[in-house]
Amino acid sequence: MIRLKDLVKIPNLVSLLRVFLMPFFMICFYKEQFLCTLILIIAIIITDFLDGFLSRALNQITEMGKVLDPLADKICLGLGLFAILLKPRITLIPLYVLISRDLLIVAAGGFLAKKNMAIPPSNLYGKLSTFFLSLTGLVFFINPFYQNVKWVYYGGVALYIIASVFIALSSISYFIRGVKIFKNFNTP
């Protein structure tokens, strides 16, 4: 059950901080303030790993956190990568798949919470897709500043391909898990 009082638990506050940083990232990014944007990207990536670490270390795993953390991921990855990947004109299809998948996950999580059912935690493929997408965004962000260094661009493409594979694997995994959950839900 999602409880409003869980919002003030440290891991959930860290997730909220990640969302709060996004407007500042977007402003710095579009004003082409390299150092400010870089610091914000790194801070956003750190908060993504920190909230999960703190929830386990402080034994503060909550239903609220199971919804809030992935929602913060969706907002940050969706907005951040969309802005960054538009510049090198990289295909956004994997990003669209990610956003669609994540909207379904958030909707399913909200449905389960409303029915007072346990919300399953994210899986390894989902965590790996987030990790590689974060690195992809970071590399493509610094790419324009190192245009003479071709491996930066190709490294970003390689990371994006790896992230795309994990997006596909996690989508399949979440779909299978969702089918099982909803089959059990409909079973008397």
Side-chain angles (χ1 to χ4, degrees):
M1 167 183 273
I2 293 180
R3 299 178 309 192
L4 194 55
K5 70 178 185 175
D6 287 339
L7 191 59
V8 296
K9 296 208 175 190
I10 293 171
N12 295 336
L13 291 173
V14 172
S15 294
L16 287 174
L17 174 64
R18 185 160 69 252
V19 174
F20 177 76
L21 291 174
M22 275 312 291
F24 298 102
F25 160 79
M26 297 299 279
I27 290 167
C28 291
F29 179 76
Y30 281 107
K31 287 188 171 186
E32 297 186 358
Q33 297 175 347
F34 177 77
L35 186 59
C36 175
T37 308
L38 182 63
I39 289 169
L40 287 168
I41 288 173
I42 292 169
I44 289 167
I45 291 171
I46 289 171
T47 61
D48 183 27
F49 293 101
L50 191 59
D51 60 4
F53 171 78
L54 288 173
S55 65
R56 289 182 291 279
L58 300 173
N59 196 25
Q60 292 184 353
I61 298 171
T62 64
E63 297 299 305
M64 169 80 72
K66 289 179 187 177
V67 172
L68 190 58
D69 176 43
L71 184 60
D73 289 347
K74 292 9 157 201
I75 292 168
C76 294
L77 280 174
L79 288 174
L81 284 173
F82 188 79
I84 291 170
L85 294 179
L86 280 177
K87 284 196 173 197
R89 299 184 188 267
I90 299 292
T91 180
L92 296 177
I93 292 172
L95 187 58
Y96 295 143
V97 170
L98 173 80
I99 291 169
S100 300
R101 179 206 73 186
D102 290 346
L103 287 173
L104 287 171
I105 290 170
V106 169
F111 175 80
L112 291 174
K114 191 173 183 175
K115 297 292 182 184
N116 290 326
M117 297 176 69
I119 299 167
S122 59
N123 65 25
L124 180 61
Y125 296 131
K127 290 177 191 260
L128 288 171
S129 67
T130 299
F131 173 73
F132 282 106
L133 282 170
S134 297
L135 289 179
T136 299
L138 184 59
V139 170
F140 276 119
F141 168 70
I142 65 170
N143 179 60
F145 301 95
Y146 296 95
Q147 288 183 346
N148 295 332
V149 184
K150 293 292 182 194
W151 68 263
V152 174
Y153 174 80
Y154 293 118
V157 171
L159 287 168
Y160 195 45
I161 290 168
I162 293 167
S164 298
V165 168
F166 283 117
I167 290 169
L169 290 172
S170 66
S171 297
I172 293 165
S173 173
Y174 285 128
F175 177 77
I176 291 169
R177 186 165 33 167
V179 167
K180 288 179 183 176
I181 289 171
F182 285 103
K183 269 187 181 178
N184 290 337
F185 178 74
N186 290 325
T187 305

